[in-house]
Amino acid sequence: MTIRSTVPSVASAEVSGPRRIRLRGRLGRLPHFGAVLLLVTFGATLLTSLLPGSPAAAILGPTATAEDIAALEAENGWDQPLPLRYVRWLFGAVQGDFGTSTQSGEPVLGEILARVPVTLELSLLALAISLLIAVPAAMYSASKEGAALDRVSSGAASLLMSTPVFVAGVLLIYLLAVTTGWFPIAGWSPIADGLGTNLMFAFLPALALALGEAPAFFRLLRADMITTLNEDFVTTATARGLPRWYILTRHVMRPSSFSLLTVAAVTFGRLLAGSVVVESLFALPGVGSLVLQAIPARDVTLVQGVVVFIALVYVLINMAVDGLYALLDPRVRTR
């Protein structure tokens, strides 16, 4: 009875040991992510403090007296030293209170959450379109390295990478909205009003963003797949008579996607933060347009809240990528 009872415990210990090691490794990165958030939020506070002029003067207008400006600064704590202001704001942010927008008088968190669905959908759709363009093109070009279509694809990728996003947006508006009338020129329709109508408004701005990201995905994945195609296990699979498409999708794509996964994750965070131009061009009510309204109005609290939101998204994406690495390659789980 004693021997039987100890065997499961030893086996479970052997199984749970690597899991505990992986869990400790992931938890060990939490201080690093926390330090990143602290540095980013403090940097945002510092940058807003370095802007010329007084936020209170910008809010009250040119007719405000010195007494009115001083009273508003004291009310919002802007007359206090920078470290003290940051610590006060940080304690509130930890409790979910990002402050109140001086422009609208509404809670900052509520302002951001009201705009997030637009920017989030736009970024996800742009990322999906760019991957749908880049992955098949990279797979074909890698399998036909040096062919005419490979050279054409590489040249088109270089051309798109050098095209600014606002130029691509203007061309898309002219070709697909003004000339043909297939898509609306500007505006937004929420998903609640119908998915089809929502996609009609979201497709052009998402495509404008995707055309700037797809070339980088294409070139990165193509280079990695060419390297993988020269590996011995691919040669063995080819010698066994396996179809080329099966080798590419089953044996080559998976080990070649590590760099693509990392860049795609970082790109998604950048799309959330950098969709200001597209949202302004297509008149979209997203986070980018919210920042554009907050900066001229010197709404420091709102700008800080947006920066924290974007930094938090970056941290969560990096943590998710760490987990996806283990799913793609068992060697990562072993290490």
Side-chain angles (χ1 to χ4, degrees), residues 96-133:
D97 181 14
F98 288 84
T100 302
S101 170
T102 56
Q103 186 179 10
S104 64
E106 299 293 330
V108 168
L109 186 59
E111 292 267 351
I112 296 174
L113 293 179
R115 303 290 190 108
V116 164
V118 177
T119 303
L120 184 62
E121 180 186 349
L122 181 64
S123 301
L124 287 173
L125 187 58
L127 185 63
I129 293 174
S130 60
L131 290 174
L132 287 175
I133 295 173

Side-chain angles (χ1 to χ4, degrees), residues 10-76:
V10 173
S12 61
E14 292 178 351
V15 173
S16 61
R19 293 178 181 174
R20 286 199 299 268
I21 294 174
R22 291 197 298 269
L23 181 60
R24 285 199 300 268
R26 292 171 185 172
L27 292 178
R29 300 194 65 180
L30 290 180
H32 167 73
F33 292 137
V36 171
L37 285 175
L38 288 175
L39 289 174
V40 169
T41 53
F42 182 77
T45 306
L46 178 62
L47 288 176
T48 53
S49 300
L50 294 176
L51 291 175
S54 169
I59 294 169
L60 297 176
T63 60
T65 64
E67 290 77 10
D68 294 334
I69 294 175
L72 185 59
E73 288 181 344
E75 179 183 349
N76 290 276

Side-chain angles (χ1 to χ4, degrees), residues 221-241:
L221 183 59
R222 175 184 174 275
D224 287 346
M225 292 190 74
I226 289 175
T227 302
T228 307
L229 283 169
N230 294 321
E231 296 288 342
D232 294 336
F233 68 88
V234 177
T235 304
T236 303
T238 305
R240 292 172 56 192

Side-chain angles (χ1 to χ4, degrees), residues 4-282:
R4 291 179 181 178
S5 63
T6 57
V7 171
S9 62
V10 173
S12 61
E14 292 178 351
V15 173
S16 61
R19 293 178 181 174
R20 286 199 299 268
I21 294 174
R22 291 197 298 269
L23 181 60
R24 285 199 300 268
R26 292 171 185 172
L27 292 178
R29 300 194 65 180
L30 290 180
H32 167 73
F33 292 137
V36 171
L37 285 175
L38 288 175
L39 289 174
V40 169
T41 53
F42 182 77
T45 306
L46 178 62
L47 288 176
T48 53
S49 300
L50 294 176
L51 291 175
S54 169
I59 294 169
L60 297 176
T63 60
T65 64
E67 290 77 10
D68 294 334
I69 294 175
L72 185 59
E73 288 181 344
E75 179 183 349
N76 290 276
W78 295 332
D79 58 341
Q80 297 176 352
L82 175 63
L84 182 58
R85 282 190 285 126
Y86 174 70
V87 170
R88 287 184 54 189
W89 177 86
L90 185 62
F91 273 111
V94 170
Q95 300 173 21
D97 181 14
F98 288 84
T100 302
S101 170
T102 56
Q103 186 179 10
S104 64
E106 299 293 330
V108 168
L109 186 59
E111 292 267 351
I112 296 174
L113 293 179
R115 303 290 190 108
V116 164
V118 177
T119 303
L120 184 62
E121 180 186 349
L122 181 64
S123 301
L124 287 173
L125 187 58
L127 185 63
I129 293 174
S130 60
L131 290 174
L132 287 175
I133 295 173
V135 172
M139 293 177 67
Y140 183 84
S141 293
S143 64
K144 303 290 184 179
E145 182 186 6
L149 190 56
D150 177 38
R151 294 194 297 269
V152 171
S153 300
S154 299
S158 300
L159 178 63
L160 287 175
M161 287 185 70
S162 61
T163 304
V165 65
F166 68 89
V167 174
V170 171
L171 289 176
L172 289 175
I173 290 174
Y174 177 75
L175 295 175
L176 300 180
V178 176
T179 303
T180 63
W182 292 346
F183 297 94
I185 297 176
W188 184 259
S189 176
I191 298 179
D193 295 341
L195 181 60
T197 306
N198 169 260
L199 292 178
M200 291 291 290
F201 280 92
F203 180 75
L204 280 189
L207 181 60
L209 288 172
L211 290 178
E213 304 297 340
F217 294 160
F218 164 79
R219 298 182 69 172
L220 181 65
L221 183 59
R222 175 184 174 275
D224 287 346
M225 292 190 74
I226 289 175
T227 302
T228 307
L229 283 169
N230 294 321
E231 296 288 342
D232 294 336
F233 68 88
V234 177
T235 304
T236 303
T238 305
R240 292 172 56 192
L242 296 177
R244 189 65 170 176
W245 65 267
Y246 182 85
I247 295 174
L248 288 172
T249 56
R250 179 67 177 175
H251 297 287
V252 178
M253 181 62 191
R254 198 171 185 180
S256 302
S257 58
F258 277 86
S259 299
L260 178 65
L261 177 62
T262 302
V263 174
V266 175
T267 298
F268 177 66
R270 187 174 69 248
L271 288 173
L272 286 174
S275 59
V276 177
V277 175
V278 169
E279 289 185 8
S280 177
L281 183 62
F282 289 90

